[in-house]
Amino acid sequence: LALYMMKRGNSMFSIFKKDKLKFVSPVKGKLKSLDNVEDEVIVNRDLGDGFAIEPMDTKIVSPIDGKVTLVFKTLHAIAIENEDGPDILIHIGLDTVRLKGDGFKSFCEVGQTVKKGDLLMEVDFEGIKDRVSSCDVIVLAQENVDFKILKENQIVQCGEKEIVEGIKCKEK
């Protein structure tokens, strides 16, 4: 996972300009900063900046328009190539890889074009919560992006707009 993320990043020596990026909520739940995720790699942003949601529903939708580039065989993570900004990784829960797909049902495949709000996955969070360290749905940008959480610690609806704002630095 870490190697996949590092391969997708930009050079540190680029000349930068800023673009604002828009995302929708991938799931209904409590929106939070990565600082409040119980995983050191996520908190330190070793895999990129982003946001997390404590899910209150089973449906996970695409937060961006793009193309699915990877669905892990254990169904715990999905990568999407973004039409309008940085590629993203949606990581569903912590320690969920060891479930080997149990409790997950995929509605997407590699190469599929998706729009904001399209159903990607259903997860039986109630059925897996006692077997994993966290059920947080984590969205990570695979490029140099800083996120501002606009509705931190608030309940957001699945597909809701204006929950976070990403500021992307990219080559001119």
Side-chain angles (χ1 to χ4, degrees):
L1 186 62
L3 286 175
Y4 177 80
M5 296 292 288
M6 288 189 293
K7 286 182 190 178
R8 307 292 290 184
N10 283 342
S11 167
M12 296 182 343
F13 303 105
S14 301
I15 299 171
F16 298 104
K17 73 175 191 179
K18 293 183 178 180
D19 287 333
K20 288 185 180 180
L21 306 166
K22 303 292 184 193
F23 298 82
V24 301
S25 176
V27 65
K28 177 183 178 180
K30 182 180 176 185
L31 178 64
K32 61 186 186 177
S33 163
L34 296 185
D35 294 331
N36 298 315
V37 174
E38 297 178 14
D39 182 276
E40 188 175 328
V41 171
I42 301 296
V43 170
N44 291 337
R45 289 156 175 82
D46 294 337
L47 300 177
D49 201 5
F51 59 94
I53 298 176
E54 292 176 29
M56 299 172 75
D57 193 13
T58 61
K59 293 181 184 344
I60 297 172
V61 303
S62 181
I64 61 171
D65 296 337
K67 183 168 73 172
V68 177
T69 57
L70 183 66
V71 178
F72 282 77
K73 67 180 180 178
T74 54
L75 305 179
H76 76 286
I78 303 165
I80 302 174
E81 184 179 280
N82 194 340
E83 282 183 5
D84 301 318
D87 298 349
I88 63 162
L89 181 77
I90 302 170
H91 197 281
I92 304 164
L94 298 174
D95 299 325
T96 47
V97 66
R98 64 189 167 124
L99 298 178
K100 299 179 181 171
D102 184 38
F104 294 76
K105 182 177 181 183
S106 179
F107 291 88
C108 63
E109 58 187 39
V110 172
Q112 179 179 340
T113 299
V114 293
K115 295 290 182 193
K116 291 175 187 165
D118 285 354
L119 182 63
L120 300 175
M121 188 82 59
E122 282 188 2
V123 182
D124 178 11
F125 289 113
E126 196 61 35
I128 69 169
K129 70 180 181 181
D130 293 331
R131 298 186 285 155
V132 298
S133 60
S134 169
C135 288
D136 287 349
V137 176
I138 303 162
V139 176
L140 300 169
Q142 299 179 4
E143 296 175 28
N144 190 9
V145 176
D146 293 321
F147 280 85
K148 179 180 178 185
I149 309 296
L150 302 176
K151 295 186 175 186
E152 189 163 3
N153 296 317
Q154 295 181 40
I155 303 301
V156 295
Q157 300 302 313
C158 186
E160 185 174 335
K161 299 176 183 177
E162 299 180 12
I163 62 163
V164 298
E165 184 176 83
I167 304 295
K168 179 184 177 196
C169 297
K170 71 175 188 178
E171 293 182 7
K172 285 186 176 179

